[in-house]
Amino acid sequence: MRREVWAGMAALRFVDAVRQALADEMEADESVILMGEEVGPLGGVFTVTRDLIERFGPDRVMDAPLAEASFTGFALGAATEGMRPVVEIMFSDFVMIAMDQIVNHAAKLRYMTNEQFDVPIVVRLPGGGGSNHGPQHSQSFESWFAHTPGLIVAMPSNPSDGYWMMRHAIQLNDPVIFLENKAMYFGAEQEVADEPPADPWAAAVPREGSDLTIVSAGRMVGRCLSAAESISTRGIDCEVIDLRYLWPMDVDTVFTSVAKTSRLLVVSEAVEFCGWSGEVASRVAKDAFTSLDAPIFRVGALRCPIPVGVALEDEIIPTVERIEQAVVDCMDF
Amino acid sequence: MRWAQDLRRHSVGDLATVEEQLFALMLLIRSVEAAIERTHRAAKITGSFHSSLGQESCAAGVSLALRDDDIVTSNHRGHGHAVGKGVSAEAVIAEMFRRTNGSSGGRGGSMHIHNRSVGFYGETAIVGGGLGWASGAAWTRKRHGSDAIAVAYAGDGAFANGIFAEAIRVADFWEAPCLFVCENNGWAHSMPSDGVFGPAGSITNVVSAMNVRSEFVDGRDAVKVYETGCELVEYVRTGKPAFIEVAVHRVKAHSVNDADYRYRPKNEGAEWLREYDPINSLRASIRVEQQHAIESAVSAVVDEALEAASNGALPETSDALRGIYATRGLGWDGRAEIR
């Protein structure tokens, strides 16, 4: 039985917004539990679960042994019995250890049991670069998950979405991969919207423009907005689309935008090669071909491990400058 | 138990003793496996299957110790675990035949028998993959005030995988009422178990060292498996995990397509069965007329199941994309269903 609660509409940082969403869902529904490494007294290495154990107790905020495969499987088992576990993988890179439970089990259980079991589980993945934690603490795996049938892939780009998308994810009866760019946690505060979006799956258009469409998700949305702002001084007017979900992917919003701008750039923090930005490009190339006045451009991470220092990391992960350059190249075509 | 009701329909009287119950269930499991192998050979079934023929004492001994509301997860060699928990022979065989009256509607096959209504959460084809599932489910039942438990079956091969130690550690840490069953059949595919772990019983020593209650049983004695199973199940009902290793013998090849003559003597399985068959060992304690009554009832149940499975409808091809997501409006192709 859900109890609706006050949603705490203050200006929040991303980290506080996600924490508030967890707390509000835990308040609303006793079956919501948190599991993961250091989620208890420490409150998570990024403080996302800080103070929640004091409020909800160790029966609902469960510090797990360092056993990602096992506690993810345990969470899956609890989910099949009606719990709504939210699993924190301390750094998204560690999810590789739990991939069997996520990909071979959680994602397929409903289908392969002929709908006898649902797996309402959220796997939180603090990931991506920007915090200079090095090659095994900075990866962006979103394309892997978007590629896997049975998963929903959420990738918020701002505090308001961090709040409402997390609440939505916890209420869904399917496994949700929830990608939190850890470099966003302690960024600027933002007013959380009073209501969730009318269409929870729809992409957002944080900047309207007429010359070129930039599609992105997660932390890169901020860089795309910076690039769009900067390049507007040169008379180029970019529209920026924030996909919010990589699966289901709202390509309709992209089609509508490209019909207006006739140019498309897709920006991902994930490795560009075989990455989700190729899916956007391919859909537009096929279904909106006649709208295009230029080839579709993509900017993603180079196919290289993420080095630890800022200087080297900026060579790999898209920067505002690389995005601007791609806009110019696409406009110049 | 469902399987006993099925036998009763074919005029077996009450199965009065543990020996009779074990004999009947083991014979039923073996007959189901044999029927699947026969029909597989007759090319009715594509793909593979993994026979548990000869290993029945583990499934039967543990199953008889369980209640209807207990939960079971199993592995790729799980037909016996399924039948023991109450999945009908028809639902198992029909799933092999990819029919809609199969336990997963014909979309899972041999390694994906699932029947929630009887507590058989089911098999997984990933070695060791079901251990966390069982313990998380059992922990939730306990949290909701039930004393139901879960059993997680895995083969010896799984105990070479890290998930084994992890799952038992986590179940112990969170006090999940889960009985981990290591069905040590002597082989991890073509790899002899004793070469990996040492003699049967060695895996039990490992779990004992983790401070989790553990027992080793020689599966040639089905009654002993049952008795030890009962003790451990009773202990697990108090809210703790436990472990049992049952030494059985894989009479058949790893799978129906496996060339096991390349790694073991050709008649090794059959010879073991001649000498140690745990089903035959029970005959001494069952009246001959009752043995015959059970045999003919088992045979009738399996014939009936084969018939029903063969007559089951094949899934509609238009059904292939159904049921990936529970969320309304999410079809296989993203938002296609709501556009």
Side-chain angles (χ1 to χ4, degrees), chain A residues 21-93:
Chain A
L22 296 173
D24 287 351
E25 279 303 309
M26 291 182 82
E27 195 67 52
D29 184 346
E30 282 190 354
S31 63
V32 179
I33 52 175
L34 310 184
M35 289 179 176
E37 294 158 4
E38 339 308 341
V39 298
L42 182 65
V45 294
F46 298 107
T47 73
V48 173
T49 59
R50 181 159 287 180
D51 298 333
L52 296 182
I53 193 167
E54 282 79 6
R55 187 165 161 197
F56 296 102
D59 286 348
R60 295 185 65 196
V61 182
M62 300 168 62
D63 258 340
L66 307 190
E68 286 83 359
S70 187
F71 67 70
T72 304
F74 195 100
L76 174 156
T80 60
E81 282 301 288
M83 304 302 286
R84 293 188 176 277
V86 181
V87 172
E88 173 173 317
I89 303 289
M90 187 193 294
F91 283 78
S92 72
D93 312 65

Side-chain angles (χ1 to χ4, degrees), chain A residues 59-60 62-63 67 70 73-74 77-78 80-81 83 100-101 105 110-111 113-116 150-151 174 199 247 252, chain B residues 103 107 114 116 121 124 126 129 132-133 136 140-141 143 166-167 173 320 322-323 325-327 331 334-335 339:
Chain A
D59 286 348
R60 295 185 65 196
M62 300 168 62
D63 258 340
S70 187
F74 195 100
T80 60
E81 282 301 288
M83 304 302 286
D100 169 58
Q101 290 299 317
H105 292 88
R110 179 178 162 82
Y111 182 86
T113 65
N114 201 22
E115 305 185 36
Q116 292 181 71
L151 300 178
D174 290 307
D199 177 353
W247 205 100
D252 289 343
Chain B
S103 64
R107 53 170 53 186
H114 303 276
R116 183 173 200 162
Y121 281 28
T124 170
I126 307 296
W133 185 8
T140 306
R141 290 278 182 93
R143 186 184 179 97
E166 273 194 38
F173 180 68
R322 171 182 56 77
Y325 292 93
T327 304
R335 311 172 73 208
R339 264 208 293 271

